[in-house]
Amino acid sequence: MAKRDPMTPDLFTDYTPPEVALGFGDRVARGGDLASRISRAIGRALKDCGKDRETVAADMSARLGTPVSASVLDAYASEAKQTHNITVERFAAPIHATGQRQLMGFLGAEFDLAVVPSKYETVIQLALLNDHMAGVADYKKLLEARIKGAK
């Protein structure tokens, strides 16, 4: 067996395809009511973004045009703070402020939907068209078989 060149990646073991659908997966989605899962998702986005909460709060404030404090962010990220449920308008602000688009995927997962970057939309449409054409071809074969059987 030939020696493997260490500078050449092995397509079967050295490659991990990128995640296409956005979301946190089971890291935050399991257990608890929706408010708890939202708090965990916001907390995870804040942790993963690499910014301190004061910076995120300032970015959110600028986006919303109203003040958002770091303590409000802490409340949004806390499952124990039942009185600080985030509105949809405010839910969009940390996505912009943190760059953590996984929050959109988290929201889509609540409805059994996948959120994918728009650059993949054409690929998805082509796959749907191919599926439809295969269904039409199968139906055509069925009708042709019925015609032959009727003769």
Side-chain angles (χ1 to χ4, degrees):
M1 179 172 207
K3 279 188 166 183
R4 182 174 178 258
D5 176 6
M7 299 305 288
T8 303
D10 184 324
L11 293 177
F12 299 104
T13 60
D14 296 339
Y15 175 73
T16 303
E19 293 289 324
V20 176
L22 302 174
F24 293 109
D26 288 340
R27 294 182 290 174
V28 297
R30 283 188 289 184
D33 61 7
L34 179 58
S36 293
R37 292 191 307 274
I38 290 170
S39 293
R40 285 195 304 271
I42 290 173
R44 185 61 185 225
L46 291 170
K47 180 180 176 184
D48 290 352
C49 78
K51 296 180 181 179
D52 62 60
R53 293 193 181 193
E54 288 77 19
T55 302
V56 173
D59 291 348
M60 287 177 61
S61 297
R63 177 139 193 105
L64 293 169
T66 75
V68 176
S69 67
S71 62
V72 168
L73 281 180
D74 291 338
Y76 288 155
S78 171
E79 292 182 70
K81 299 274 187 173
Q82 296 291 321
T83 59
H84 279 79
N85 292 333
I86 192 166
T87 64
V88 172
E89 176 188 28
R90 286 186 169 239
F91 187 81
I95 297 168
H96 290 284
T98 64
Q100 297 294 304
R101 298 179 314 158
Q102 293 87 341
L103 285 167
M104 290 299 301
F106 163 80
L107 190 59
E110 287 294 315
F111 300 95
D112 196 31
L113 298 171
V115 176
V116 298
S118 60
K119 68 181 182 179
Y120 298 118
E121 184 178 1
T122 305
V123 174
I124 294 168
Q125 289 174 340
L126 181 60
L128 291 170
L129 181 60
N130 286 335
D131 287 349
H132 176 71
M133 290 172 61
V136 168
D138 289 345
Y139 187 60
K140 180 180 177 189
K141 288 177 187 174
L142 173 71
L143 293 176
E144 288 170 343
R146 285 183 183 167
I147 291 170
K148 287 180 184 176
K151 289 183 179 182

